[in-house]
Amino acid sequence: MNYYQYKILIAPELAEVLLALLSELDFESFEETPEGFNAYIKESMDSVDMDSAVRDYQARFNFQYTKSIIPHQNWNELWESNFEPLRIENYINIRADFHPPVKDVRFDLLINPKMAFGTGKHATTYMMMRAMEMEDFQQKKVFDYGCGTGVLAILASKLGALTVDALDIDILSVENTMENAVVNHAANIHTYHGDLGTLAHKNYDVVLANITRNIILASLPSLYERLSDGGLLL
């Protein structure tokens, strides 16, 4: 799908506040730049109201912006074109199939991202893996909401989870999770294509949700309902 890019030029002391305000809108992602940041929204989600909201903030914060269309392309292929393995001390190493295996880590995960999100390079994925390191997954039922490449589902499996349900609304992500689960010998991962209603009647000991802020906020009540007594939502 195509995206619109709003290129924001703003003073550094105002950038964080404006970004927080814009994140309340339907923007899907943001990219920091030396001059400010870029905001991205799907072409189908853009509207006259969005332009009006940005102009309202422009009057308050005195910034400049340009808007341009970004044609559909394999974003992940571009992003991962210079992908280097990610290592977190002796805890985990994440690599592609063209990297050699690493022996002196607890988990050496093979992740080929294709069109899906999640190699550990992104700050939220890194923080999720760090948080998971501190929790007990032994014999737990786990739900990975917005599984992307399946990296968190696979890590949960390696940490001792009994079963892992991995869900994504993007069929390419579901297929990528399935492939990565196989190459990492994580046979207890079950993949599902759809939204939260797909697994409406299941409960979990641990729920993982490494997705965009707006989706998390909209989904929190439903995710909470899926927790077993004493369950954990990351």
Side-chain angles (χ1 to χ4, degrees):
M1 64 187 69
N2 297 335
Y3 278 78
Y4 277 108
Q5 179 195 70
Y6 286 74
K7 186 176 182 65
I8 310 290
L9 306 179
I10 189 171
E13 63 271 17
L14 297 176
E16 185 173 347
V17 176
L18 178 62
L19 192 151
L21 291 169
L22 292 183
S23 69
E24 300 285 349
L25 304 177
D26 289 326
F27 287 107
E28 185 167 298
S29 61
F30 298 91
E31 175 189 22
E32 293 185 15
T33 68
E35 301 82 16
F37 60 88
N38 298 329
Y40 295 92
I41 186 171
K42 292 176 182 175
E43 184 180 27
S44 59
M45 296 293 292
D46 196 51
S47 66
V48 174
D49 290 341
M50 177 65 70
D51 286 334
S52 178
V54 172
R55 286 195 298 271
D56 286 345
Y57 285 128
Q58 185 180 31
R60 294 169 54 188
F61 288 91
N62 190 29
F63 63 87
Q64 301 298 316
Y65 80 93
T66 57
K67 177 182 177 183
S68 58
I69 189 74
I70 308 295
H72 172 77
Q73 53 190 306
N74 187 333
W75 297 103
N76 209 76
E77 182 179 2
L78 294 174
W79 183 39
E80 303 297 344
S81 59
N82 295 310
F83 172 46
E84 293 296 331
L86 171 73
R87 177 164 177 166
I88 305 176
E89 299 169 356
N90 294 325
Y91 168 42
I92 190 169
N93 184 71
I94 297 176
R95 61 185 176 87
D97 55 8
F98 49 81
H99 298 126
V102 174
K103 302 295 185 182
D104 59 339
V105 292
R106 186 178 175 190
F107 304 115
D108 182 41
L109 302 188
L110 182 59
I111 301 294
N112 292 310
K114 297 190 175 177
M115 286 287 287
F117 171 84
T119 62
K121 292 289 187 179
H122 194 277
T124 62
T125 310
Y126 178 94
M127 290 189 290
M128 289 286 284
M129 292 189 297
R130 274 300 201 186
M132 292 171 67
E133 182 184 14
M134 307 304 294
E135 301 297 334
D136 178 16
F137 280 79
Q138 289 295 322
Q139 295 300 298
K140 299 290 180 67
K141 293 183 294 182
V142 178
F143 176 34
D144 184 5
Y145 176 45
C147 55
T149 62
V151 61
L152 298 184
I154 293 166
L155 179 57
S157 175
K158 299 297 183 183
L159 286 167
L162 177 65
T163 61
V164 184
D165 286 348
L167 174 74
D168 207 294
I169 200 167
D170 178 12
I171 187 61
L172 294 176
S173 293
V174 174
E175 292 171 352
N176 196 203
T177 292
M178 293 172 63
E179 294 167 357
N180 287 328
V182 169
V183 297
N184 286 280
H185 308 291
N188 61 341
I189 294 177
H190 310 285
T191 55
Y192 299 88
H193 176 227
D195 57 20
L196 274 174
T198 306
L199 300 171
H201 304 296
K202 302 191 72 172
N203 290 99
Y204 302 92
D205 303 304
V206 182
V207 174
L208 309 171
N210 181 34
I211 47 182
T212 60
R213 178 181 183 274
N214 289 341
I215 297 176
I216 288 176
L217 291 176
S219 305
L220 274 177
S222 295
L223 293 175
Y224 181 77
E225 290 174 356
R226 282 162 177 75
L227 285 177
S228 303
D229 290 342
L232 173 68
L233 170 60
L234 294 179

